[in-house]
Amino acid sequence: MSNAVRRTRATLVVALLWTGLLAGLTGCTGGVPGTEGDKPRAPGDTIRITPEDEAEGVAADGRLEVTVPDGRLERVEVTQIEDARPAKVPGAVSQDGLSWRPAEGTRLALAAKYRVDAVALDAHGRRSARHTTFTTVVPEQRFTGYVIPENRTTVGTGMIISFDFNRGIKNRAAVERAIRVTSVPPVEVVGHWFDAERLDFRPRAYWKPGTKVTVDMRLRDVEGAPGVFGIQRKSIGFTVGRSQTSVVDARERTMEVRRDGRLVTTLPVTTGGKKTRTYNGKMVVSEMFDVTRMNGATVGFTDRQGKSEYDIKDVPHAMRLTTSGTFLHGNYWVDPRIFGLRNVSHGCIGLRDEKGGSHDSPAGWFFDRTLIGDVVEVVNSPDRVVAPWNGLSGWNMNWRDWQIGSALR
């Protein structure tokens, strides 16, 4: 997939910092009760994608299209993800620019997860983006696990291997035993079940730079639940890149960026306001978008009439930190003097940027130097510590408690 659209999988502003990729849109969260996991479709969304976001059981020859009512589609990419061999779906935008459809005769893979990335321009040349995922039908009495990170990627030292199963696993020990994680140099890696459909793996401490990791899935014919058997037998591998960790001080409104333990720079930020604080704790970058749409309705930020408090169609340099909607992203719509001076977001972490995204801005600088798997830690926020299951936030759990969550202990 082009880095102009996104760097992978491969799941936090008074109208200032908005984000959170939910239902193909985004909206900041930060300790707002009742918003985690709510994923309504945002009103006024003009990029239409079929199947709907997070659709399951899609037929291999089912309807797949992206449309806009006016303007034109600038780019559309449909990619099979979380597989040993990620592959793009061939297709083309129509001559009038209003639709994208796959090439004639295209058939999707069974038991596969797909990502749709679409960017459109309206009649006035304004850019809007939408990102969705869907999974195709899994044969009856079979289960499959969708895993991040993606094969052959280079990730940050905080990368957590995460499996999302399409069916509830009852025989957790058998499934966990069938997934073998090895590394060079060797390190102990332990699994932790968050629920019947989520299994994560990590070492005791962050990976060492240069480590090569292999995830061997021997799930074929493993009985995960009575009469339900695995379908996968494959391996994926990834490499751990340089060490980069960033600490956001919500009280001082700064972010210190360190490479290999050495302070590289300190950037001014804005974090959650009084009513929408930013989570404390260690969060891992799990998705990156050069541009995305962010809508408050996706995480419950609506006015008395039920309309979204904000809808920003072209938020630049967006980096996902939690599944509930915490992002670190660029912000071009506020007075630049806000950064480092006031906390005004809906829970996200904001860096100064320009409309369209500038590589010379603080947000662009940080985005260009970030990998999936990098750790961003927030300290001195009045809010609670982020839950270990919210995104790849398992580093907030001590090693003993992490081990207790293994079915093999």
Side-chain angles (χ1 to χ4, degrees), residues 60-175:
D61 56 355
R63 181 184 174 197
L64 174 59
E65 67 176 3
V66 181
T67 63
V68 290
D70 53 35
R72 65 181 178 86
L73 289 167
E74 185 178 49
R75 58 183 184 260
V76 176
E77 292 186 351
V78 180
T79 310
Q80 182 182 349
I81 60 174
E82 301 176 15
D83 188 79
R85 293 178 294 277
K88 292 182 179 179
V89 175
V93 175
S94 61
Q95 289 187 349
D96 60 12
L98 297 177
S99 65
W100 177 97
R101 291 182 176 85
E104 185 176 355
T106 297
R107 184 178 177 86
L108 303 178
L110 294 174
K113 188 169 187 177
Y114 287 86
R115 180 181 63 221
V116 183
D117 296 285
V119 179
L121 297 175
D122 66 14
H124 302 286
R126 295 172 298 199
R127 183 172 280 106
S128 177
R130 190 150 189 248
H131 316 281
T132 66
T133 61
F134 67 89
T135 54
T136 54
V137 66
V138 178
E140 288 188 22
Q141 306 307 310
R142 291 285 182 173
F143 75 88
T144 190
Y146 305 105
V147 61
I148 58 170
E150 294 183 3
N151 191 39
R152 298 181 181 178
T153 53
T154 298
V155 303
T157 55
M159 190 71 229
I160 290 178
I161 303 160
S162 184
F163 281 84
D164 182 17
F165 296 101
N166 71 309
R167 290 188 171 90
I169 302 300
K170 294 187 179 299
N171 192 353
R172 297 186 184 185
V175 170

Side-chain angles (χ1 to χ4, degrees), residues 279-282 378 383-388 396:
Y279 290 123
N280 282 294
K282 300 178 180 69
V378 178
D383 201 19
R384 63 188 183 275
V385 174
V386 63
N396 296 290

Side-chain angles (χ1 to χ4, degrees), residues 99-390:
S99 65
W100 177 97
R101 291 182 176 85
E104 185 176 355
T106 297
R107 184 178 177 86
L108 303 178
L110 294 174
K113 188 169 187 177
Y114 287 86
R115 180 181 63 221
V116 183
D117 296 285
V119 179
L121 297 175
D122 66 14
H124 302 286
R126 295 172 298 199
R127 183 172 280 106
S128 177
R130 190 150 189 248
H131 316 281
T132 66
T133 61
F134 67 89
T135 54
T136 54
V137 66
V138 178
E140 288 188 22
Q141 306 307 310
R142 291 285 182 173
F143 75 88
T144 190
Y146 305 105
V147 61
I148 58 170
E150 294 183 3
N151 191 39
R152 298 181 181 178
T153 53
T154 298
V155 303
T157 55
M159 190 71 229
I160 290 178
I161 303 160
S162 184
F163 281 84
D164 182 17
F165 296 101
N166 71 309
R167 290 188 171 90
I169 302 300
K170 294 187 179 299
N171 192 353
R172 297 186 184 185
V175 170
E176 186 176 342
R177 190 177 295 110
I179 299 172
R180 185 184 181 199
V181 181
T182 57
S183 66
V184 178
V187 62
E188 181 185 15
V189 179
V190 175
H192 182 97
W193 291 88
F194 286 106
D195 56 35
E197 297 179 359
R198 168 100 179 258
L199 171 62
D200 287 7
F201 290 86
R202 73 166 176 88
R204 177 192 292 266
Y206 298 153
W207 303 96
K208 291 183 178 180
T211 299
K212 295 186 181 300
V213 183
T214 300
V215 182
D216 190 14
M217 292 165 271
R218 303 178 182 181
L219 294 170
R220 185 183 296 276
D221 297 329
V222 172
E223 190 171 21
V228 180
F229 298 86
I231 198 173
Q232 296 160 295
R233 187 174 183 86
K234 64 182 182 182
S235 294
I236 66 168
F238 60 90
T239 300
V240 180
R242 81 293 174 274
S243 170
Q244 177 172 297
T245 58
S246 302
V247 176
V248 175
D249 190 320
R251 184 168 55 213
E252 299 297 324
R253 296 171 290 277
T254 60
M255 180 171 72
E256 294 183 346
V257 182
R258 284 181 166 80
R259 283 280 185 97
D260 300 315
R262 181 178 65 86
L263 180 64
V264 176
T265 190
T266 301
L267 300 173
V269 301
T270 184
T271 66
K274 291 183 178 180
K275 295 183 179 180
T276 52
R277 300 296 192 181
T278 303
Y279 290 123
N280 282 294
K282 300 178 180 69
M283 293 168 267
V284 175
V285 176
S286 59
E287 290 180 304
M288 300 178 66
F289 304 94
D290 68 337
V291 59
T292 195
R293 183 178 181 178
M294 302 182 178
N295 189 291
T298 63
V299 287
F301 289 117
T302 57
D303 58 23
R304 293 181 180 179
Q305 287 72 44
K307 295 183 179 180
S308 177
E309 293 181 6
Y310 52 83
D311 186 4
I312 306 300
K313 298 181 179 180
D314 60 345
V315 178
H317 297 134
M319 293 155 275
R320 174 181 284 282
L321 299 178
T322 72
T323 52
S324 67
T326 310
F327 273 69
L328 194 163
H329 65 78
N331 184 310
Y332 65 82
W333 51 89
V334 302
D335 188 326
R337 292 173 294 183
I338 286 290
F339 303 98
L341 181 64
R342 294 174 56 200
N343 287 326
V344 292
S345 86
H346 279 75
C348 290
I349 302 162
L351 290 168
R352 181 177 60 80
D353 210 337
E354 298 177 12
K355 188 174 178 62
S358 169
H359 292 289
D360 297 324
S361 69
W365 181 92
F366 187 73
F367 187 90
D368 290 342
R369 289 161 177 79
T370 295
L371 294 173
I372 299 297
D374 282 348
V375 177
V376 177
E377 182 177 5
V378 178
V379 298
N380 295 326
S381 173
D383 201 19
R384 63 188 183 275
V385 174
V386 63
W389 51 262
N390 193 354

